[in-house]
Amino acid sequence: MDVRTDLAIESREMYIKKHNREIDGVVAEEEREGEIKFTTVKVKNEEGAKKIGKPIGNYITIDIPEFTVYDGGIMDDVSKVLGKILKRLINLEKKQTALVVGLGNWQVTPDALGPKVAEKIMVTRHLEVVMPEVMDDTVRSVCAIAPGVLGITGIETGEIIKSLVDKVKPDIVICIDALASRHIERVNRTIQISDTGISPGAGVGNNRKEISEKTLGVKVIAVGVPTVVDAATIASDSIDLVIDELISKVSSGKEFYNMLKDIDKSEKKLLIKEVLSANVGELIVAPKEVDMIVEALSKIISNGINMSLQPDMEMEDINKFLN
Amino acid sequence: MDVRTDLAIESREMYIKKHNREIDGVVAEEEREGEIKFTTVKVKNEEGAKKIGKPIGNYITIDIPEFTVYDGGIMDDVSKVLGKILKRLINLEKKQTALVVGLGNWQVTPDALGPKVAEKIMVTRHLEVVMPEVMDDTVRSVCAIAPGVLGITGIETGEIIKSLVDKVKPDIVICIDALASRHIERVNRTIQISDTGISPGAGVGNNRKEISEKTLGVKVIAVGVPTVVDAATIASDSIDLVIDELISKVSSGKEFYNMLKDIDKSEKKLLIKEVLSANVGELIVAPKEVDMIVEALSKIISNGINMSLQPDMEMEDINKFLN
Amino acid sequence: MDVRTDLAIESREMYIKKHNREIDGVVAEEEREGEIKFTTVKVKNEEGAKKIGKPIGNYITIDIPEFTVYDGGIMDDVSKVLGKILKRLINLEKKQTALVVGLGNWQVTPDALGPKVAEKIMVTRHLEVVMPEVMDDTVRSVCAIAPGVLGITGIETGEIIKSLVDKVKPDIVICIDALASRHIERVNRTIQISDTGISPGAGVGNNRKEISEKTLGVKVIAVGVPTVVDAATIASDSIDLVIDELISKVSSGKEFYNMLKDIDKSEKKLLIKEVLSANVGELIVAPKEVDMIVEALSKIISNGINMSLQPDMEMEDINKFLN
Amino acid sequence: MDVRTDLAIESREMYIKKHNREIDGVVAEEEREGEIKFTTVKVKNEEGAKKIGKPIGNYITIDIPEFTVYDGGIMDDVSKVLGKILKRLINLEKKQTALVVGLGNWQVTPDALGPKVAEKIMVTRHLEVVMPEVMDDTVRSVCAIAPGVLGITGIETGEIIKSLVDKVKPDIVICIDALASRHIERVNRTIQISDTGISPGAGVGNNRKEISEKTLGVKVIAVGVPTVVDAATIASDSIDLVIDELISKVSSGKEFYNMLKDIDKSEKKLLIKEVLSANVGELIVAPKEVDMIVEALSKIISNGINMSLQPDMEMEDINKFLN
C-alpha cells in the first residue's frame, strides 16, 4: 500500500504536501504552448533523486486538455508540443538511428498503448538497403519494435531490447509505456517524458526491470501515459479521506482523535483486502471508453515522436509515408 | 449511492443480513450438478417482489467455478448446466421460434457480452425459406440480433426489439446482458437466468428500459453475467468498512459513536465524489484480462443457449452448423 | 458469369463499349471539385433503366484520388464532396429525422464498411427526450443502426429495417454498403451515391433484397464503395483477354477465328470452375491492407454523411459531439 | 510469373507432372492417423534439393480435413497429428529450451497466423526464476516471440531472431508462418512441417530472408499453412487453362497450334498485368471468412506445438496453465 507512482510530478506534489516545501535538489518550471500546459521537474542531484524516488534527470509532464481525444485539432496541438519537448531531449546527428520500443501487452487494452504507438511509427531503417534513394539527408533512420511482455514471451523485456540494441546499435532508444497513476484525474490526461529511461517497477504490469542508459549503453527517452489506477488505490484513498474527515471533526488529543491517528498501515491493508476480497485477478479502474481513448492517445504520441525524429519533414509527408 | 444490484441473490442476501430472516414470499433452493452449484430464488408474490426489489418469477444463479475460463472442459460443464436450466424455463413447441437478443455495446469490452453471444447463436429461421429440407422436426427456428445501445443508435433498445418482435413474432425472447454487481467476487463468476425479463435500470450502462412480457407481449428470459463493479461501489464499501471498524472500537452512546452513526448518505456521497473527482467518464473496476474472460463467457453462454434451443441436436452438430 | 456490377457507371461504360453510343434515356455529366472528379449518371426513363439495369434515378460516382487513405487532408476533401452531393439529394426540413443504416457483416473485413460507418454517425434522436436543450434548430434528429446480415440474424435485413422504419418513422433512410466491382481498379477508389436505394442482389454478400422507397415507404439514399472483386471475375477477365488477344492475331472467318468466337458461356464457366476448383468457401480478391483501407473509408463516408445531415454545424463541433 | 510455391509437396507434384517420374534424390511416403492423411517428402541429396528447389531435409504435409475449423473434435485430432510429427523432429533433452517464433504481420489477417500461434504458446522459461518450484522435470522451458515484419519494424526479421537466439541460447527454434500456395484447394487445408527452416522468399510477404540452422546456429523447425493465393496466380492459371483447352482442340503442327504453343512468358505477363491493372496494392485471393479460419488454424497449431514441447503434460493441464 505504499504510495507508488510512476509520475515524478506526483512524487513531488506528495513531498510538498507533506513537508510544505520544495524538495532540495529538485526544481520545477511550468511552460505553456497555446492552451497546453507542461511542467518540467528537474532532479539535479542525488539528494533530490532520493527524496523524489526517481533518478537524476528531466521529467516533463504535459497536461492533456479535457476532451482532447474527441477533437482532432487539439490532438494535433498536443502532438506538436510533445514533438517539441522530445526534440529538446533527443539531439541526434543526421546519420544517426533511433529505435522506438512499444512496451506493454497489446491484448490488454489499457496496457496496449506502447504497441499501438510502435505500429504507427514511420520506420525507415530498412530503406537504406531497399530504397537508398529516398534516404536522403531529410530522412532519419528509424526502427521500432513491440517486444511483448514477460508472461507472453517468457523472456525479460529488457533482455529482448538489450539484444536488439547490441545488434542494431541505435543512437537513441525511445520507450513508450502505459503507466499507473495515483490519481484518477491524471488517467489518460497526462504525458510524462523523461530522459532517464524506465525505472524498475513502473508500468501497468508492475514487474518491469530497468531499461536505461546504464543497462542498454545508449540514451533512453521514456514516454508514458497513466491509463489506469489500481483498484486498491481507490479503496485506500476512500479510507484516508473518511479518516481525515473524522479527524477534522474532533479536537486533537482526544481519545477518538488519537484512535484515528493510530490506524496504521497494516490495519488499512486488511480493510482494503476485505473490500477487494475476490480472487478474480488484478483489478484495475479505468474509464468505460478505454479502447477508444488508448487508440487516440497512441495517435497523439506517435505523431509527436514522428515529428521529433523527422524534423525536416512535414506532418503531411509523414502521413503519406505511413502506408 | 443506493445499494443497487442486478442480482436477485444479492438483494436477498442483503435483506437477510439486515433483517436476519428470509424474505416473506421468497424461497430459495440450492442444487448441484457435479461441481457446479446453482441457486433458485423464487419470488412468489407481490410482498416478496417489493422486498427483494425484483418482479415475481424465478431467478437462477449459477456459480462459475474458479479458473473455468481457462479450462475448456469445465466451460462445457457450465454450458450444460445453463442449457438444462434454460430448458426448464423455455418449453417451446416443435414449430415455434426463438429470438435471441444480445444487449450491450460491443465496442466497450465489459459490455460486449450480449453481442458476443448473439454472434455465436445457431440461427436457422432463414433456412425455412432458403433450405427448407434441413428444417426438419429436429431443428428449431432461431433468429438473433444485437441491437446496439441508445448512445450509438439514438433509438431506445426496447423500441428496436419491440418493432422486431411485432414483425418476426417469436414465441420466446432470450436477452443476454452484462450486469453490474455489488461485489467484486461475483464479477465474471455468476450467471443469472430469470424468466422475468430485464428490469428498468439494469445492466452496465444503467439506463435500460424494461424488456419483458409486459412490454413485448411474449415471454422474456434474461441471461446475465456481472462483468464490472462501479468504481463508486469500491469507494463506498471502503468508507463503510472503515466506519464499521471504528464503530466496533468505541462504546455505543459515546460522542464519537454517535458521530460515526450520524455520517449520512449525502456526506458519504461527497467523500466518494472527492475520491473519484476526475472528469474522465464513467469509471469501472474490472480484471485486467477482461477481453479474454468476456470472450470465454460468451462461448459458455452461447453453447448453453444453443443446447437449450436445439434439444434434438448434439453439441457437435451444432458446432458444425455454426460456420 | 453474367457481367454483374453494382456500379451504374460501369454498366454504362459496358453498354457504350458494346454499342458505341450513349444509352437512350441516360445522360451523364462530369464535375470537379478541386482535385476530386465526380460523375452523375441520370437514368431518365424506363428505357434507360432497362438498358442500364438500374432503376430510374441519379447515380453519382466520386473518384477517390490515389493514396487518399494515407492523407488526412485529402480524406477531408473527399468527405466534403460527399457531403455536398448528399445535401443535393436529401432536402430535409428542420424538424425531420434521418435513419442511417450500415449494411454488411462487421466480422468480414471487406463487408464491414456499413457497420463501421454507422458507429461513427452523430446520433441525436434520443437527445430530444434526454437533453432537449441541445436539440435546437441547428441540430437534426439522426439515428443509426447496423442490422447485421441474414446468415447471422436469421432475419432478412430488409425486414429488420422495415420494422424499424415503421416504428421510428424517419423522413429519409441512408444505407451504406460494401459493393462488388467488376474492375480491380475501382476497388476502394469509388464512392457511388444514388437516390434509388439498394437493388436486389447488390453488395458483397450478393443475396440482398430490395431496400427502397417502394419497400420502406420513405426515400432511400444508398452510399456504396466496391471493396472486393469476385475471384471468378479475375479468372473470367483473364480468359476473355487471352481469347481477344488470339482473335486479334488471326484473320476473321478462318477456322480458328470461328472456334475462338464459338467459345461459349458454359465452356468458360467450366474453365473458371476448374481454376477455382476448391471447396474453400466464397473467394474474394482484395488488397492485403484491406483492414486499414476499410477503416479509412468509413471515416470519409461518416464525415460526409454527418456534414450533410448537420448543415448548421462545423466539422469540429460534430467531432466534439462524437464522444 | 515463375511457378513459385512454398510447399515441397507442390514442387514435387509439378516435377512429376512435367517429367512423369519421381525426382531423383527425393522419396515420398504417405501415412494416415485416423481420418488424417500426411505425406513425408524426404529430400535426400543435393540433386534432389536442386530439382525440388528446397534444401535437403524432411517436409511433412498434413491434409486438414474439410470443415475442420468448424469442429472442435477434428481440430484436436489435427493438433495431435501435428504434435506427433513435431515430436519426431524435435528430440530435446529434459533441460533444454525451445524458442517459438510467430512470423508475419498481425495487422494483415491472412499473414497473422504466426503471431496468433505465438500468443497461445505455453511459455515457461521465465518461471525458472519467478516460480522455480513449478519447473520440475515434467515442464520444458519454452519462450515465444512475434518479431513483426520488416515494413513495421525497419529491422530484418532474421536479425531480430538472430540477436535473440544469441541472448537466449535456445536448443531449438520453431518458426510459424503463413505461406502462399499455388493452388486454391490447398489454402487453409494444408500444414507443412519441415526441419530445414525458412527458405528465402517464402511467406505471404515474399521478401523473407533465410532463417535456418545455418543463419542461427541452432536447429530450426518451420510450420506453415498457405492462407492465400496471389491474384496473379488465378489470372495465370486461367490463361494457361484456356490455352491448353484450345491446344487440345486443334491438330498439332497447324498454324494456330503453333501460335498457341508460341505464347511466351512475357506475353502472358502483359495479359496478367492488364487484368490486374490497378494500382491498389498487392492483391490476394482468400476466402471471405479468413478471420475466423486463421483464428481456428492458430489454435490447431499452438495446441500441436504445446503438446510436442510438453510431452509429460496432458492437454488439459496445458490449457489450465495458459491463463
Side-chain angles (χ1 to χ4, degrees):
Chain A
M1 268 334 108
D2 263 338
V3 182
R4 191 183 66 72
T5 172
D6 297 326
L7 298 174
I9 203 171
E10 285 188 350
S11 302
R12 178 176 165 260
E13 280 165 6
M14 287 187 279
Y15 185 97
I16 292 177
K17 198 181 162 193
K18 201 170 162 194
H19 298 85
N20 251 317
R21 57 179 181 85
E22 182 61 87
I23 309 175
D24 293 328
V26 168
V27 293
E29 188 191 357
E30 273 191 22
E31 287 170 85
R32 186 171 282 279
E33 186 84 23
E35 294 296 290
I36 297 155
K37 204 188 79 178
F38 58 100
T39 309
T40 303
V41 173
K42 215 180 272 285
V43 179
K44 300 177 77 171
N45 54 36
E46 280 306 331
E47 191 190 349
K50 213 178 149 187
K51 285 189 173 150
I52 201 169
K54 309 269 162 202
I56 294 172
N58 297 291
Y59 302 84
I60 300 101
T61 308
I62 303 175
D63 287 356
I64 305 177
E66 211 176 343
F67 306 126
T68 292
V69 296
Y70 306 122
D71 187 324
I74 308 185
M75 283 173 68
D76 282 354
D77 293 343
V78 177
S79 292
K80 277 171 202 157
V81 172
L82 173 59
K84 201 174 147 179
I85 292 168
L86 285 171
K87 269 186 234 171
R88 287 187 196 169
L89 300 177
I90 287 175
N91 272 321
L92 286 182
E93 303 288 318
K94 287 253 162 195
K95 283 292 171 196
Q96 292 187 312
T97 294
L99 168 63
V100 178
V101 179
L103 298 168
N105 184 350
W106 60 264
Q107 299 173 288
V108 174
T109 309
D111 197 26
L113 180 70
K116 274 173 178 288
V117 170
E119 81 189 37
K120 298 187 184 80
I121 293 302
M122 173 177 161
V123 299
T124 54
R125 179 178 170 275
H126 57 308
L127 301 180
E128 279 163 9
V129 178
V130 195
M131 310 168 64
E133 71 281 8
V134 310
M135 292 302 285
D136 59 22
D137 270 11
T138 64
V139 182
R140 155 116 49 243
S141 168
V142 175
C143 51
I145 191 128
V149 293
L150 183 62
I152 279 180
T153 62
I155 313 171
E156 261 304 332
T157 306
E159 273 187 280
I160 300 177
I161 300 171
K162 173 71 175 149
S163 70
L164 254 180
V165 166
D166 290 350
K167 190 92 185 173
V168 169
K169 301 195 195 315
D171 302 285
I172 198 160
V173 170
I174 303 175
C175 289
I176 300 93
D177 204 4
L179 308 176
S181 172
R182 271 289 299 132
H183 294 297
I184 288 284
E185 69 266 24
R186 289 217 180 269
V187 165
N188 303 325
R189 296 288 302 281
T190 292
I191 305 175
Q192 173 176 274
I193 306 103
S194 81
D195 53 7
T196 62
I198 304 277
S199 307
V204 173
N206 50 18
N207 274 3
R208 269 193 204 122
K209 292 284 180 9
E210 185 172 339
I211 298 169
S212 68
E213 183 154 11
K214 207 176 77 190
T215 63
L216 297 185
V218 58
K219 192 174 181 183
V220 180
I221 306 287
V223 179
V225 176
T227 59
V228 299
V229 168
D230 195 296
T233 299
I234 303 290
S236 173
D237 284 359
S238 308
I239 292 168
D240 286 348
L241 209 65
V242 71
I243 291 174
D244 284 357
E245 179 78 9
L246 291 171
I247 285 178
S248 76
K249 285 186 173 176
V250 293
S251 323
S252 69
K254 288 229 179 174
E255 175 197 2
F256 186 52
Y257 181 92
N258 294 336
M259 193 184 88
L260 289 167
K261 283 284 185 200
D262 273 5
I263 290 177
D264 67 4
K265 262 192 198 164
S266 61
E267 199 170 346
K268 233 183 89 184
K269 243 185 202 164
L270 281 174
L271 288 170
I272 292 168
K273 248 193 174 160
E274 210 175 317
V275 178
L276 307 175
S277 57
N279 201 345
V280 288
E282 191 182 341
L283 286 167
I284 52 177
V285 182
K288 224 174 125 181
E289 303 81 0
V290 63
D291 301 71
M292 184 274 283
I293 295 171
V294 168
E295 182 60 30
L297 289 170
S298 74
K299 275 180 206 153
I300 293 173
I301 293 175
S302 56
N303 279 340
I305 293 176
N306 286 331
M307 281 188 279
S308 72
L309 290 178
Q310 307 294 354
D312 296 335
M313 292 180 76
E314 297 297 320
M315 198 61 227
E316 209 171 72
D317 297 316
I318 293 175
N319 281 331
K320 264 182 216 160
F321 185 97
L322 279 174
N323 64 53
Chain B
M1 266 334 107
D2 262 337
V3 182
R4 193 184 63 73
T5 172
D6 297 325
L7 298 174
I9 204 170
E10 284 189 352
S11 302
R12 178 176 165 261
E13 280 165 6
M14 286 188 280
Y15 185 96
I16 291 176
K17 198 182 161 192
K18 198 170 164 193
H19 297 86
N20 251 317
R21 58 178 179 85
E22 182 61 84
I23 308 174
D24 293 327
V26 168
V27 293
E29 189 190 357
E30 273 190 22
E31 286 170 87
R32 186 171 280 280
E33 186 85 23
E35 294 296 290
I36 298 155
K37 205 189 80 177
F38 57 100
T39 309
T40 303
V41 172
K42 215 182 269 286
V43 179
K44 300 177 75 171
N45 53 37
E46 280 305 334
E47 191 188 349
K50 211 177 152 189
K51 286 187 172 150
I52 201 169
K54 309 270 162 202
I56 294 173
N58 297 289
Y59 302 85
I60 300 101
T61 308
I62 303 175
D63 286 359
I64 305 178
E66 211 175 343
F67 305 126
T68 292
V69 297
Y70 306 122
D71 186 325
I74 308 186
M75 282 174 67
D76 282 353
D77 292 344
V78 177
S79 292
K80 277 171 202 158
V81 172
L82 173 59
K84 203 175 143 176
I85 292 168
L86 285 171
K87 269 186 233 171
R88 285 188 197 169
L89 299 177
I90 286 176
N91 273 322
L92 286 183
E93 304 287 318
K94 288 254 162 196
K95 283 291 170 196
Q96 291 187 314
T97 294
L99 169 63
V100 178
V101 178
L103 297 168
N105 183 350
W106 61 265
Q107 300 172 290
V108 174
T109 309
D111 197 27
L113 180 70
K116 275 173 178 288
V117 169
E119 83 190 36
K120 297 187 185 79
I121 293 301
M122 173 178 161
V123 298
T124 54
R125 177 178 169 275
H126 56 309
L127 301 180
E128 279 163 9
V129 178
V130 193
M131 310 167 64
E133 70 281 7
V134 310
M135 291 301 284
D136 58 22
D137 270 11
T138 65
V139 182
R140 155 115 48 240
S141 168
V142 176
C143 51
I145 191 127
V149 293
L150 183 62
I152 280 180
T153 62
I155 314 172
E156 262 303 335
T157 307
E159 273 187 279
I160 300 177
I161 301 171
K162 174 70 176 153
S163 71
L164 254 180
V165 165
D166 289 350
K167 189 91 183 173
V168 169
K169 301 196 193 316
D171 302 285
I172 199 160
V173 170
I174 303 176
C175 289
I176 300 93
D177 204 3
L179 307 176
S181 172
R182 272 289 299 132
H183 294 297
I184 288 283
E185 70 264 25
R186 289 217 180 268
V187 165
N188 302 325
R189 295 288 302 282
T190 293
I191 305 174
Q192 173 176 276
I193 306 105
S194 81
D195 52 7
T196 62
I198 303 278
S199 308
V204 172
N206 51 19
N207 274 1
R208 284 218 180 99
K209 292 285 180 8
E210 185 173 342
I211 299 169
S212 67
E213 184 156 9
K214 209 176 77 191
T215 62
L216 297 186
V218 57
K219 194 174 179 181
V220 180
I221 306 287
V223 179
V225 175
T227 58
V228 299
V229 169
D230 194 297
T233 299
I234 303 289
S236 173
D237 283 1
S238 308
I239 292 168
D240 287 347
L241 210 64
V242 72
I243 292 174
D244 284 357
E245 179 78 8
L246 292 170
I247 285 178
S248 77
K249 286 184 173 178
V250 294
S251 322
S252 70
K254 286 227 180 177
E255 178 195 358
F256 328 118
Y257 181 92
N258 294 337
M259 193 184 87
L260 290 166
K261 284 285 186 197
D262 273 6
I263 290 176
D264 66 3
K265 264 192 197 166
S266 61
E267 198 169 346
K268 233 182 87 185
K269 247 186 199 163
L270 282 174
L271 289 170
I272 292 168
K273 249 191 173 160
E274 210 175 317
V275 178
L276 307 174
S277 57
N279 202 343
V280 289
E282 190 181 343
L283 287 166
I284 53 177
V285 181
K288 222 173 126 181
E289 303 84 0
V290 64
D291 300 71
M292 184 274 284
I293 295 171
V294 168
E295 182 61 30
L297 290 170
S298 74
K299 275 180 205 154
I300 292 173
I301 293 175
S302 56
N303 279 339
I305 293 175
N306 286 331
M307 281 189 278
S308 73
L309 290 177
Q310 307 294 354
D312 296 335
M313 292 181 75
E314 297 297 320
M315 199 59 227
E316 210 170 71
D317 297 316
I318 292 175
N319 281 332
K320 265 183 215 159
F321 185 97
L322 279 173
N323 64 54
Chain C
M1 265 336 106
D2 263 337
V3 181
R4 192 184 63 72
T5 172
D6 297 325
L7 298 175
I9 204 171
E10 285 189 351
S11 302
R12 177 175 165 262
E13 280 165 6
M14 286 188 280
Y15 185 97
I16 291 175
K17 198 182 163 193
K18 201 172 162 191
H19 297 87
N20 253 316
R21 57 176 181 86
E22 181 62 86
I23 310 176
D24 294 328
V26 169
V27 294
E29 187 189 358
E30 272 190 23
E31 285 170 87
R32 187 171 282 278
E33 186 85 23
E35 293 296 290
I36 298 155
K37 204 188 79 177
F38 57 99
T39 309
T40 303
V41 173
K42 214 181 270 285
V43 179
K44 300 178 75 171
N45 53 34
E46 280 305 332
E47 191 188 350
K50 211 177 151 189
K51 286 189 172 148
I52 201 169
K54 309 270 163 201
I56 294 172
N58 296 290
Y59 302 84
I60 300 100
T61 307
I62 303 175
D63 287 358
I64 304 178
E66 211 175 344
F67 306 125
T68 292
V69 297
Y70 306 122
D71 187 325
I74 308 185
M75 282 174 68
D76 282 353
D77 293 343
V78 177
S79 293
K80 277 170 203 158
V81 173
L82 173 59
K84 202 175 145 176
I85 292 168
L86 285 172
K87 269 186 234 170
R88 286 187 196 168
L89 299 176
I90 287 176
N91 273 321
L92 286 183
E93 304 288 318
K94 286 256 163 195
K95 283 292 171 195
Q96 292 186 313
T97 294
L99 169 63
V100 178
V101 178
L103 297 168
N105 184 351
W106 60 267
Q107 299 172 289
V108 173
T109 309
D111 197 27
L113 180 70
K116 275 172 177 289
V117 170
E119 82 190 36
K120 299 187 185 79
I121 292 301
M122 173 177 162
V123 299
T124 54
R125 179 178 169 274
H126 57 309
L127 301 180
E128 279 163 9
V129 177
V130 194
M131 311 167 63
E133 69 282 7
V134 309
M135 292 302 283
D136 58 22
D137 269 11
T138 64
V139 183
R140 156 118 46 243
S141 168
V142 175
C143 51
I145 191 128
V149 293
L150 183 62
I152 279 180
T153 62
I155 313 173
E156 262 302 334
T157 306
E159 273 187 279
I160 299 177
I161 300 171
K162 173 71 175 151
S163 72
L164 255 179
V165 166
D166 290 351
K167 190 91 185 172
V168 169
K169 301 195 193 318
D171 300 286
I172 198 160
V173 169
I174 303 175
C175 289
I176 300 94
D177 204 4
L179 307 176
S181 171
R182 272 290 298 135
H183 294 296
I184 287 283
E185 70 266 25
R186 290 218 179 268
V187 164
N188 303 325
R189 296 286 303 280
T190 292
I191 305 175
Q192 173 175 275
I193 307 104
S194 80
D195 52 7
T196 61
I198 303 278
S199 307
V204 172
N206 50 19
N207 274 1
R208 274 202 196 112
K209 292 286 182 4
E210 184 172 341
I211 299 170
S212 67
E213 184 155 9
K214 206 175 79 189
T215 63
L216 296 186
V218 57
K219 193 174 179 183
V220 180
I221 306 287
V223 179
V225 175
T227 58
V228 299
V229 168
D230 195 298
T233 299
I234 304 290
S236 172
D237 284 359
S238 309
I239 292 169
D240 287 347
L241 210 64
V242 70
I243 291 174
D244 284 357
E245 179 78 9
L246 292 171
I247 285 179
S248 75
K249 286 184 174 177
V250 294
S251 323
S252 69
K254 285 229 180 175
E255 177 195 358
F256 328 116
Y257 181 91
N258 294 337
M259 192 183 87
L260 290 166
K261 283 284 185 200
D262 272 6
I263 290 176
D264 67 2
K265 262 191 198 166
S266 60
E267 199 170 346
K268 232 182 91 186
K269 244 185 202 165
L270 281 174
L271 289 169
I272 293 168
K273 249 193 174 158
E274 210 175 317
V275 178
L276 307 174
S277 58
N279 202 343
V280 288
E282 191 182 342
L283 287 167
I284 53 177
V285 181
K288 224 174 125 182
E289 304 82 1
V290 63
D291 300 72
M292 184 275 283
I293 296 172
V294 168
E295 182 60 30
L297 290 170
S298 74
K299 275 179 206 153
I300 293 173
I301 293 175
S302 56
N303 279 340
I305 293 175
N306 286 331
M307 282 188 279
S308 73
L309 290 178
Q310 307 294 354
D312 296 336
M313 292 180 75
E314 296 298 319
M315 199 59 227
E316 210 171 70
D317 298 315
I318 292 175
N319 281 332
K320 264 183 216 161
F321 185 97
L322 279 173
N323 64 54
Chain D
M1 265 336 105
D2 263 337
V3 181
R4 191 183 65 73
T5 171
D6 296 325
L7 298 174
I9 203 171
E10 284 188 352
S11 301
R12 179 176 165 260
E13 281 164 6
M14 287 187 279
Y15 185 96
I16 291 176
K17 198 182 161 192
K18 198 169 164 195
H19 298 86
N20 250 318
R21 59 179 179 84
E22 182 61 85
I23 309 174
D24 291 328
V26 168
V27 293
E29 189 190 357
E30 272 190 22
E31 286 170 86
R32 185 171 282 279
E33 186 86 22
E35 294 296 291
I36 297 155
K37 205 187 79 176
F38 58 100
T39 308
T40 303
V41 173
K42 214 181 271 286
V43 179
K44 300 176 76 172
N45 53 36
E46 279 304 334
E47 191 188 349
K50 211 178 149 188
K51 286 188 171 149
I52 202 168
K54 309 271 161 199
I56 295 172
N58 296 290
Y59 302 84
I60 301 102
T61 307
I62 304 175
D63 287 358
I64 305 178
E66 210 175 344
F67 306 127
T68 292
V69 296
Y70 305 123
D71 187 325
I74 307 186
M75 283 173 68
D76 282 353
D77 292 345
V78 177
S79 292
K80 278 171 202 158
V81 172
L82 173 60
K84 202 174 146 179
I85 292 167
L86 286 172
K87 270 185 234 171
R88 286 186 196 170
L89 301 176
I90 288 175
N91 272 322
L92 287 183
E93 304 288 317
K94 287 254 162 198
K95 281 293 171 195
Q96 292 187 312
T97 293
L99 169 63
V100 178
V101 178
L103 298 167
N105 184 349
W106 61 264
Q107 299 173 290
V108 173
T109 309
D111 198 27
L113 180 70
K116 276 173 176 288
V117 169
E119 82 189 36
K120 298 187 184 79
I121 293 301
M122 173 177 161
V123 300
T124 54
R125 178 177 169 276
H126 58 309
L127 302 180
E128 278 162 9
V129 177
V130 195
M131 311 167 63
E133 70 281 8
V134 310
M135 292 301 286
D136 58 22
D137 270 12
T138 65
V139 182
R140 156 115 49 239
S141 169
V142 176
C143 51
I145 191 126
V149 293
L150 183 62
I152 279 181
T153 62
I155 314 171
E156 261 303 333
T157 306
E159 273 187 280
I160 301 176
I161 301 171
K162 174 70 174 151
S163 71
L164 255 179
V165 165
D166 289 351
K167 190 90 183 176
V168 169
K169 301 196 193 315
D171 302 284
I172 198 160
V173 169
I174 303 175
C175 289
I176 300 93
D177 204 3
L179 307 175
S181 173
R182 272 288 299 132
H183 295 297
I184 288 282
E185 69 266 24
R186 290 217 179 270
V187 164
N188 302 326
R189 296 288 302 282
T190 292
I191 305 174
Q192 174 175 275
I193 306 104
S194 80
D195 51 8
T196 62
I198 303 279
S199 306
V204 172
N206 50 18
N207 274 3
R208 263 183 213 128
K209 292 286 180 7
E210 184 171 341
I211 298 169
S212 67
E213 184 155 9
K214 208 176 77 191
T215 63
L216 297 186
V218 58
K219 193 175 179 181
V220 180
I221 306 287
V223 179
V225 175
T227 59
V228 298
V229 168
D230 195 297
T233 300
I234 303 289
S236 173
D237 284 359
S238 308
I239 292 168
D240 287 348
L241 210 63
V242 71
I243 291 174
D244 285 356
E245 180 78 9
L246 291 170
I247 286 179
S248 76
K249 285 186 174 175
V250 293
S251 322
S252 69
K254 288 228 179 174
E255 174 197 3
F256 187 51
Y257 180 91
N258 294 337
M259 191 184 89
L260 289 167
K261 284 282 185 199
D262 273 6
I263 290 176
D264 67 4
K265 263 193 197 165
S266 60
E267 197 169 349
K268 233 182 89 182
K269 246 187 199 162
L270 281 174
L271 288 170
I272 292 168
K273 250 195 173 154
E274 209 175 317
V275 178
L276 307 175
S277 58
N279 203 344
V280 288
E282 190 182 343
L283 286 167
I284 53 177
V285 181
K288 222 173 126 181
E289 304 82 0
V290 63
D291 301 71
M292 184 275 284
I293 295 172
V294 168
E295 182 60 31
L297 290 170
S298 75
K299 275 180 205 154
I300 292 173
I301 292 174
S302 56
N303 279 340
I305 292 175
N306 285 332
M307 282 188 278
S308 72
L309 290 177
Q310 307 294 354
D312 296 335
M313 292 181 75
E314 298 297 321
M315 199 60 229
E316 210 170 72
D317 296 317
I318 292 175
N319 281 331
K320 265 183 215 161
F321 185 97
L322 279 173
N323 63 55

